Structure formats: C-alpha cells, structure tokens
Amino acid sequence: MRRALKISLVTVTGAALTLSASACGGKKADSGDGGDTKKTIKVGLAYDIGGRGDKSFNDAAYEGLQQAKKTLNVDVKDLEATKGESDNDKQQRLDLLASSGYNPVVAVGFAYAGPLGKVAAKYPNTKFAIVDDSSVKAANVTNLLFAANQGSYLVGAAAALKSKSGTVGFLGGVDTPLIKSFEAGYTAGAKKANPKIKVDVKYISRGTDFSGFSDPAKGKTIAEGQYDAGADVIYHAAGASGNGLFDAAIEKKKFAIGVDSDQYLTAKPAAQPYIVTSMLKRVDTAVFNFVEDASKGTTKAGEQTFDLKNDGIGYAVSNPEAIKDVQAKLDELKKQIIDGTITVPNS
Amino acid sequence: MNRLKNSPLALTVLAAVLALVFAVAVTAVVLSASGFDPLSTFQAMLDFGTKPDSVANTLNRASTYYLAAIAVAIGFRMNLFNIGVDGQYRLAAMLAAAAGGAIALPPVLHQAMIIIVAMLVGGLWAGIAGVLKVTRGVSEVISTIMLNFIATGVIAVLLQKGRLGHQVAGSDNIGTKTIAPSGRVAGIPYPGANLQVFGLIFLAVAVGVVFHVVVNRTRFGFDLRATGLSATAASAGGVNARRMVVTAMLLSGAAAGLIGMPQLLGASYTYGLDFPTGLGFTGIGIALLGRNHPVGIAFAALLWSFLDQSSQILQFNDIPKEIVAITQAAVLLSVVVVYEIVRRLGLRWQQQTVAAELAERGPAGTKEVAA
C-alpha cells in the first residue's frame, strides 16, 4: 500500500512537471501590477452574477465593450463575479481594475453601488460608470439609467395586438424592483392596446435567489405552463433563462418577445419565426458612448438616462413578417410617450 | 518515522499536506493542458493573494467559512448531516438584520440583541429538522434540504416593500432597514489595506474554542460523540438519543445563525439582495477538509478562503477562474482518500508494532496465554 502510494505520487508529480515544462511557451500570468502600455486607454468592465453568455443584459454590455475595442482601439478587460461573493469582493475587483491603470471602469448592475462608492472615492482621477443605479453620486461616477418600462410598454402593446387568445404572458427572472418595472410597463402597454387583455405574470425565482436569471430549463417549464394556460405571446425579462422561453415557443408554435438585446438576431433559426420583437435596452450603446467620451475626456458625472426619446430604449423590427401589422400602432404610442401624453408606470 | 507512527496529529498534518500537493499537481496538469503556464499562474495567485487587501479579505471570508464549517461539524460529530446550514444562516441573518434595523438599543446591547436573534432563528429553523427526525423519523438530510428552499421562499416573501424590505432611492436593491451605528461592529485596520478585517473574526475564534471545550471537556460533548459513534451503545449507556438529536440540531442551527453576522455587522448593515449566499454548502466541504476538528477547520477555512481570494487574479490574466474550483475539488477528494490511506497505514504500523513486541517476548508470552 505504502509503495503504491509513493509510486503514484511520484508519477503524478512527474507528469505535472513534464507537462508544465513543455508548456513553458504558454501564456504567462501576472499579478496585476503594471502590464503593457502600448495602447493609451485601458477599459475595465465588471459584471454582476450571471456574467457573459446570457445573450441578454450582460452580453449587451460586452457587445458595447467589443465595439469600443474595435473602433476606438482601446485595451479592454472584463471580469466576472463569483456566486455568493460579498461587497468586499466587488470592491476589490473594481480596485484591481483601477489600480492597474484601467480608466474608465464600468460596473454592470446595481449590486456594485456600495463598492463603487468606496473605490470611486479612492481613485478620483479614474472615470467610473454604473449601469442601473443612481444611488451612487460622485464627481467621477456616471450613472447609466434605462427607462426599460417605456420599452416594455411598447412590447406589451405589441403582445396584446398580436394575441388572439386574449391572454399574454410575462416571464420575469427574479422579482427584483428592476424587473418589476419591466412588468409594470408591459402590463400597462398591453392594457392600453386591449383593455380586456389578461396578463399572466410569472417569476422564475424570488427574493435573494438569483438563479432565475440563469436557469433556461426552469424558464422553459414555466413558459410552457403559461402557453398551456392560454397565453399566446410571452415577454421575458429573465436574462439567460429567456432561452428556455424560446424553446417553449418553438414547441408550442406560439409567439415570444425578447429583451435587452435584439434576440431575433442571436436566436437559433428554428426560434426566429416566433420572436415577434425584442425590447431593446441599449446597454451596448451606453457602454460604448461612455468609453468614447472617456477617450476624449468628456465624460459627465451624474445621471444619464436612456429612453425612447434618445433611442437608448426601443423595440426591434428585425422580424418584419411578425411585427409589420402592429408597427404603426406602436410608433404612435412611442410618440405619445415621448411627448408626455402617456406616462408609463414604474411599479 | 517512529515518532510519526505514534502521533495521530502528525499523521493528519502529513495527510493534509499530501492532499494539497496532489491538488496543486492536478491543477498544474489542467493548466498546462489548457495552454497556461502553471508556475507563473501560481506565482500570480501568490502575489495577489498576499497583498494587504487580499489578506484582509481572506481573513474576513475565512471567518464566515469557519463559522459555517463549525455549524456543520456540530452535526457531523453526532452523525447528523445538517445540509440546511445554508437556509438557517440566510433566514437568521435576514430576521436579525430586520430586528437590528427596527429596534435601536445602546451599543453592546444592540449587537448582542442582533446576534441572539440570529442564533435563535438559526437554531429554531434547524430544530424543525431535529423534531421531525425524532418524532416522525424524517431523515435530516431530506428535511434540511427542503427547509433551505422554504427559507429562500420565506425570505422572498418578507423582503418586499411594505413588509421588511426597504428600497434605497435610486437603487434597484431591496433590503432590510439599515442597522444604526450603535449596532455595528467596527473593523480592525490591517496595515496597508483599504479593507478592514471584520471585528467579529473574534466571534469565530470564540465559537471554535467553545466548540472544542464542549465537545471534549463536558459530559454533553461525551454523549454527543458517543451517540455519533454508536447510537445504540450510547442508548445502552443511558444517553437519551432523541434529546441528543434535537439538541445537536439546535446547536448546529444556532452556530449557523452566526455565519452572516461578521458580514452583516461589519460591512453590509442590511440584508439585501446582494447578501452572500451559499456559505452553508461551502461549510460542508471545509468541515470535511478540517476533519470536524476546530483547529483543522481553521486551517481549511483559511486555505479555502485564500484560494477563493487569489482566484480573482486569474480572470485578470484571461485564465478561467474555475481553475480554482478544480483545485478545491481535488483537495477535498484527495484529502478523503489520503486520510483513509493514512488511517490504514497507522493501523498496520500499530499491528506490526504489537506483533513485533509479541515476537520478542517469544514462547514465554505463549506460555502465559496457555496458562
């Protein structure tokens, strides 16, 4: 037994050494000090839980970053959060970016509010932006806000107009105040287009359980239930879980509405005919503009709201076959929201 | 070698070190196979992990991990698998935060009240599983898992506007009312760091000491261990096994209630949507790694925390941070195997020693037995 253990240990260690020796030409890692300086601007971005690959909110931020990388020739670095981490970890992540010369730094999601406040005070010369939060105020912090309820209002109207059954669905990821404002806008829009419409609201998870943003299987099950219960158009605000909605839509041959990005463009071909439209929350534009401003040194601190008026919010028309018959009505509503005739509720 | 044979502690340390070496080797293989240089990666992790801020954060994280693992270990010592530590601490932290935010008391009393509420809530929530086990024979594994889900649901219901939830203007977070400064615990500055070390790290140390004393130096601790080793034997010895199960669950839950306290009273001051989750499950791994021993768990918690902390630099170098999860899994798996190997080796050495002693005595010994 003893010998066997020794031999196996020696073998494993040996193998590890051989492999590591052969991989010496591989990528080297550094500990965060310094780094190369050939490009003048280094842009840092920190995601909240969920991270890249949700084909929705976080990916939209990533998209803006990639666009900046291409057109502005800047260096980018994006870091993801770990499940169950604390404020300290977020603070250190932002600190790591700022201390390594990343400027500007973009924090994606409300959970960064507290940590950002502390880091922004420590690095007064670094420009920061935070998406979806206006509680942090500092001379070097830009708050990127979105009137997502306005866009949700429009797709709510679209859903009600497309519905033949008289029932439309809302599939929320987690019942956070943010997602509830999507729901409020959607319901109001649907009722505006058809006062008799029934809105079937379901959330995948609730409270502190954020799994609802990254659980396509559960999203699919719930969406199937909503379709079976009579809904024939469902709008999701559930991040990566929304992909489950599209799978359900294919199976039930019913309509779905995407969120944040134009999901018609990223969906699999089988799902495309069923995606009527997507509520566009242009996180990509916001991130790109902010980086561009930073590269010119023209960032403005404080709130910067993206809404229907400045096209920071909108609805997608990439599936003309599905949307064209209601487009005129939607554009009319859009005009009324912009000129203030309609006020969209927030909660 | 001879001294090693006779010291179980040295054997345990040796086993842990072997497991760590093995895990590092596995990680190196994975890194190489993915095209990264292991040496510079480990160097980067070490450099980043030993920065002042990282050390402070490692200590903070370790203090919550430690409490989580002790909570699990209390159950383990009794052969009870309390998987519900996660739900117990989250529910406890939320209700304690709400109580602390609602009622203002003078300093010391305020903190004590919050901590006591947390222990009560955690204990009672775990106690449900204990009572179900002794009255209805429900396995605590099943009931505690279920109670985790129920806790999540209860928190979701209570953390709404108009109930216990308050929304800060301009924020999409929702949390309990912020605890007034009189209920907070000041941090300890760490030289060169921006982050402070949680003042309640001493609570973790105290809980470890109490755990050690109660388990090893009291009648209750003896009953606990005896029941854990053999419930029937303990019953025969006059231990009320049913009462032991409920008490152990209550204590495990009360310890679980403390898990959220360093974070709540040292940094968050409110239980919101961004409060750390999943610590209870981490605690199970750490309790296993530390062999349910208060000192072992301390080292395990620090190691785990250090790995989590230093993993932050990996993404910065475009290396997937999941690499560290592989290291942690490898440590855990190999430590179980190595402990078992070492235990058997120890047993064999013992037998050889006894056999050798008997052989030395030779026929005389045989005669004695015959006589």
Short mmCIF file of all heavy atoms in Angstrom, two decimals, chain B residues 23-58:
data_model
loop_
_atom_site.label_atom_id
_atom_site.label_comp_id
_atom_site.label_asym_id
_atom_site.label_seq_id
_atom_site.Cartn_x
_atom_site.Cartn_y
_atom_site.Cartn_z
N ALA B 23 -3.38 18.10 -5.07
CA ALA B 23 -4.33 19.01 -5.70
C ALA B 23 -3.61 20.04 -6.56
O ALA B 23 -4.05 20.37 -7.67
CB ALA B 23 -5.17 19.70 -4.64
N VAL B 24 -2.48 20.55 -6.05
CA VAL B 24 -1.71 21.52 -6.82
C VAL B 24 -1.20 20.88 -8.10
O VAL B 24 -1.22 21.47 -9.18
CB VAL B 24 -0.55 22.09 -5.97
CG1 VAL B 24 0.39 22.91 -6.83
CG2 VAL B 24 -1.11 22.94 -4.84
N ALA B 25 -0.76 19.61 -7.98
CA ALA B 25 -0.27 18.91 -9.16
C ALA B 25 -1.37 18.74 -10.19
O ALA B 25 -1.18 18.98 -11.38
CB ALA B 25 0.29 17.54 -8.75
N VAL B 26 -2.57 18.37 -9.72
CA VAL B 26 -3.70 18.22 -10.64
C VAL B 26 -3.99 19.55 -11.34
O VAL B 26 -4.19 19.61 -12.55
CB VAL B 26 -4.96 17.75 -9.88
CG1 VAL B 26 -6.20 17.87 -10.75
CG2 VAL B 26 -4.78 16.31 -9.42
N THR B 27 -3.98 20.63 -10.54
CA THR B 27 -4.24 21.94 -11.11
C THR B 27 -3.19 22.29 -12.17
O THR B 27 -3.52 22.83 -13.22
CB THR B 27 -4.22 23.02 -10.01
OG1 THR B 27 -4.99 22.55 -8.92
CG2 THR B 27 -4.80 24.31 -10.51
N ALA B 28 -1.94 21.95 -11.86
CA ALA B 28 -0.87 22.24 -12.81
C ALA B 28 -1.10 21.50 -14.12
O ALA B 28 -0.92 22.05 -15.20
CB ALA B 28 0.48 21.84 -12.21
N VAL B 29 -1.55 20.25 -14.00
CA VAL B 29 -1.82 19.46 -15.20
C VAL B 29 -2.94 20.11 -16.01
O VAL B 29 -2.83 20.29 -17.23
CB VAL B 29 -2.19 18.01 -14.82
CG1 VAL B 29 -2.70 17.26 -16.05
CG2 VAL B 29 -1.01 17.30 -14.21
N VAL B 30 -4.01 20.50 -15.31
CA VAL B 30 -5.15 21.12 -16.00
C VAL B 30 -4.72 22.42 -16.68
O VAL B 30 -5.06 22.69 -17.83
CB VAL B 30 -6.31 21.39 -15.02
CG1 VAL B 30 -7.42 22.17 -15.70
CG2 VAL B 30 -6.84 20.08 -14.47
N LEU B 31 -3.93 23.23 -15.94
CA LEU B 31 -3.46 24.50 -16.50
C LEU B 31 -2.63 24.25 -17.75
O LEU B 31 -2.83 24.89 -18.79
CB LEU B 31 -2.63 25.25 -15.47
CG LEU B 31 -3.40 26.07 -14.43
CD1 LEU B 31 -2.46 26.54 -13.34
CD2 LEU B 31 -4.09 27.25 -15.08
N SER B 32 -1.69 23.30 -17.66
CA SER B 32 -0.82 23.01 -18.80
C SER B 32 -1.64 22.55 -19.98
O SER B 32 -1.43 22.97 -21.11
CB SER B 32 0.19 21.93 -18.43
OG SER B 32 0.92 22.33 -17.31
N ALA B 33 -2.58 21.66 -19.69
CA ALA B 33 -3.40 21.11 -20.77
C ALA B 33 -4.21 22.20 -21.45
O ALA B 33 -4.53 22.10 -22.63
CB ALA B 33 -4.32 20.02 -20.22
N SER B 34 -4.55 23.26 -20.70
CA SER B 34 -5.32 24.35 -21.31
C SER B 34 -4.42 25.42 -21.91
O SER B 34 -4.89 26.46 -22.33
CB SER B 34 -6.27 25.00 -20.29
OG SER B 34 -6.55 24.15 -19.23
N GLY B 35 -3.11 25.17 -21.88
CA GLY B 35 -2.19 26.10 -22.54
C GLY B 35 -1.73 27.26 -21.68
O GLY B 35 -1.27 28.27 -22.20
N PHE B 36 -1.84 27.14 -20.37
CA PHE B 36 -1.34 28.20 -19.50
C PHE B 36 -0.12 27.69 -18.75
O PHE B 36 0.02 26.49 -18.51
CB PHE B 36 -2.42 28.63 -18.49
CG PHE B 36 -3.67 29.12 -19.13
CD1 PHE B 36 -4.81 28.35 -19.14
CD2 PHE B 36 -3.71 30.36 -19.76
CE1 PHE B 36 -5.98 28.78 -19.74
CE2 PHE B 36 -4.86 30.81 -20.37
CZ PHE B 36 -6.00 30.03 -20.36
N ASP B 37 0.74 28.62 -18.38
CA ASP B 37 1.95 28.24 -17.67
C ASP B 37 1.64 28.13 -16.17
O ASP B 37 1.32 29.14 -15.55
CB ASP B 37 3.03 29.29 -17.93
CG ASP B 37 4.27 29.01 -17.11
OD1 ASP B 37 4.55 27.82 -16.89
OD2 ASP B 37 4.92 29.98 -16.68
N PRO B 38 1.74 26.93 -15.59
CA PRO B 38 1.34 26.78 -14.18
C PRO B 38 2.19 27.62 -13.22
O PRO B 38 1.65 28.23 -12.30
CB PRO B 38 1.56 25.29 -13.90
CG PRO B 38 1.69 24.64 -15.22
CD PRO B 38 2.17 25.67 -16.18
N LEU B 39 3.50 27.65 -13.45
CA LEU B 39 4.36 28.33 -12.48
C LEU B 39 4.03 29.80 -12.36
O LEU B 39 3.85 30.33 -11.27
CB LEU B 39 5.83 28.14 -12.86
CG LEU B 39 6.38 26.74 -12.57
CD1 LEU B 39 7.83 26.64 -12.97
CD2 LEU B 39 6.20 26.40 -11.09
N SER B 40 3.92 30.47 -13.52
CA SER B 40 3.63 31.91 -13.44
C SER B 40 2.21 32.13 -12.91
O SER B 40 1.93 33.13 -12.25
CB SER B 40 3.82 32.57 -14.80
OG SER B 40 2.79 32.21 -15.68
N THR B 41 1.31 31.18 -13.19
CA THR B 41 -0.06 31.31 -12.67
C THR B 41 -0.04 31.24 -11.15
O THR B 41 -0.64 32.07 -10.47
CB THR B 41 -0.95 30.20 -13.23
OG1 THR B 41 -0.90 30.25 -14.64
CG2 THR B 41 -2.38 30.37 -12.76
N PHE B 42 0.65 30.23 -10.61
CA PHE B 42 0.71 30.10 -9.15
C PHE B 42 1.40 31.31 -8.55
O PHE B 42 1.01 31.81 -7.49
CB PHE B 42 1.46 28.82 -8.75
CG PHE B 42 0.71 27.56 -9.12
CD1 PHE B 42 1.39 26.41 -9.50
CD2 PHE B 42 -0.67 27.53 -9.09
CE1 PHE B 42 0.70 25.26 -9.83
CE2 PHE B 42 -1.37 26.38 -9.43
CZ PHE B 42 -0.68 25.24 -9.81
N GLN B 43 2.43 31.79 -9.23
CA GLN B 43 3.15 32.97 -8.74
C GLN B 43 2.20 34.17 -8.66
O GLN B 43 2.17 34.90 -7.67
CB GLN B 43 4.33 33.28 -9.69
CG GLN B 43 5.23 34.41 -9.22
CD GLN B 43 5.94 34.03 -7.93
OE1 GLN B 43 6.45 32.93 -7.80
NE2 GLN B 43 5.97 34.94 -6.97
N ALA B 44 1.42 34.34 -9.73
CA ALA B 44 0.48 35.47 -9.76
C ALA B 44 -0.54 35.34 -8.64
O ALA B 44 -0.87 36.32 -7.97
CB ALA B 44 -0.23 35.52 -11.11
N MET B 45 -1.03 34.12 -8.42
CA MET B 45 -2.01 33.91 -7.36
C MET B 45 -1.40 34.22 -6.00
O MET B 45 -2.03 34.85 -5.15
CB MET B 45 -2.52 32.46 -7.38
CG MET B 45 -3.51 32.18 -8.49
SD MET B 45 -4.00 30.46 -8.58
CE MET B 45 -4.95 30.29 -7.07
N LEU B 46 -0.17 33.78 -5.83
CA LEU B 46 0.50 34.01 -4.55
C LEU B 46 0.74 35.50 -4.33
O LEU B 46 0.48 36.04 -3.25
CB LEU B 46 1.83 33.25 -4.53
CG LEU B 46 2.42 32.97 -3.16
CD1 LEU B 46 1.49 32.05 -2.37
CD2 LEU B 46 3.79 32.33 -3.29
N ASP B 47 1.21 36.19 -5.37
CA ASP B 47 1.48 37.62 -5.25
C ASP B 47 0.20 38.39 -4.93
O ASP B 47 0.17 39.22 -4.04
CB ASP B 47 2.06 38.17 -6.57
CG ASP B 47 3.49 37.72 -6.77
OD1 ASP B 47 4.06 37.19 -5.79
OD2 ASP B 47 4.02 37.89 -7.88
N PHE B 48 -0.85 38.06 -5.68
CA PHE B 48 -2.11 38.77 -5.46
C PHE B 48 -2.70 38.41 -4.11
O PHE B 48 -3.20 39.26 -3.39
CB PHE B 48 -3.10 38.44 -6.58
CG PHE B 48 -4.42 39.11 -6.42
CD1 PHE B 48 -4.56 40.46 -6.66
CD2 PHE B 48 -5.53 38.40 -6.00
CE1 PHE B 48 -5.78 41.09 -6.50
CE2 PHE B 48 -6.76 39.01 -5.84
CZ PHE B 48 -6.88 40.37 -6.09
N GLY B 49 -2.63 37.13 -3.77
CA GLY B 49 -3.25 36.65 -2.54
C GLY B 49 -2.57 37.18 -1.28
O GLY B 49 -3.15 37.14 -0.20
N THR B 50 -1.34 37.68 -1.41
CA THR B 50 -0.64 38.16 -0.22
C THR B 50 -0.60 39.68 -0.15
O THR B 50 0.02 40.25 0.75
CB THR B 50 0.82 37.62 -0.19
OG1 THR B 50 1.42 37.87 -1.45
CG2 THR B 50 0.83 36.14 0.10
N LYS B 51 -1.28 40.36 -1.09
CA LYS B 51 -1.40 41.81 -0.97
C LYS B 51 -2.21 42.14 0.28
O LYS B 51 -3.11 41.35 0.64
CB LYS B 51 -2.12 42.39 -2.19
CG LYS B 51 -1.26 42.46 -3.45
CD LYS B 51 -2.05 43.08 -4.58
CE LYS B 51 -1.20 43.20 -5.82
NZ LYS B 51 -1.93 43.78 -6.93
N PRO B 52 -1.97 43.28 0.91
CA PRO B 52 -2.68 43.59 2.16
C PRO B 52 -4.20 43.48 2.04
O PRO B 52 -4.85 42.88 2.90
CB PRO B 52 -2.26 45.03 2.45
CG PRO B 52 -0.97 45.21 1.75
CD PRO B 52 -0.99 44.32 0.55
N ASP B 53 -4.76 44.04 0.96
CA ASP B 53 -6.21 43.97 0.79
C ASP B 53 -6.68 42.53 0.70
O ASP B 53 -7.73 42.16 1.23
CB ASP B 53 -6.64 44.71 -0.49
CG ASP B 53 -7.04 46.14 -0.19
OD1 ASP B 53 -7.25 46.44 1.00
OD2 ASP B 53 -7.13 46.94 -1.13
N SER B 54 -5.90 41.73 0.00
CA SER B 54 -6.28 40.33 -0.16
C SER B 54 -6.23 39.60 1.16
O SER B 54 -7.09 38.77 1.47
CB SER B 54 -5.34 39.64 -1.16
OG SER B 54 -5.48 40.23 -2.42
N VAL B 55 -5.20 39.90 1.96
CA VAL B 55 -5.07 39.22 3.26
C VAL B 55 -6.29 39.58 4.12
O VAL B 55 -6.91 38.70 4.73
CB VAL B 55 -3.76 39.62 3.96
CG1 VAL B 55 -3.72 39.02 5.36
CG2 VAL B 55 -2.57 39.15 3.14
N ALA B 56 -6.63 40.88 4.14
CA ALA B 56 -7.79 41.30 4.94
C ALA B 56 -9.05 40.59 4.48
O ALA B 56 -9.82 40.06 5.28
CB ALA B 56 -7.96 42.82 4.84
N ASN B 57 -9.24 40.54 3.17
CA ASN B 57 -10.44 39.90 2.64
C ASN B 57 -10.42 38.39 2.87
O ASN B 57 -11.46 37.78 3.11
CB ASN B 57 -10.57 40.21 1.14
CG ASN B 57 -12.01 40.21 0.69
OD1 ASN B 57 -12.91 40.17 1.52
ND2 ASN B 57 -12.21 40.24 -0.61
N THR B 58 -9.22 37.80 2.80
CA THR B 58 -9.10 36.36 3.07
C THR B 58 -9.52 36.06 4.51
O THR B 58 -10.25 35.11 4.77
CB THR B 58 -7.65 35.90 2.83
OG1 THR B 58 -7.30 36.17 1.48
CG2 THR B 58 -7.50 34.42 3.10
#
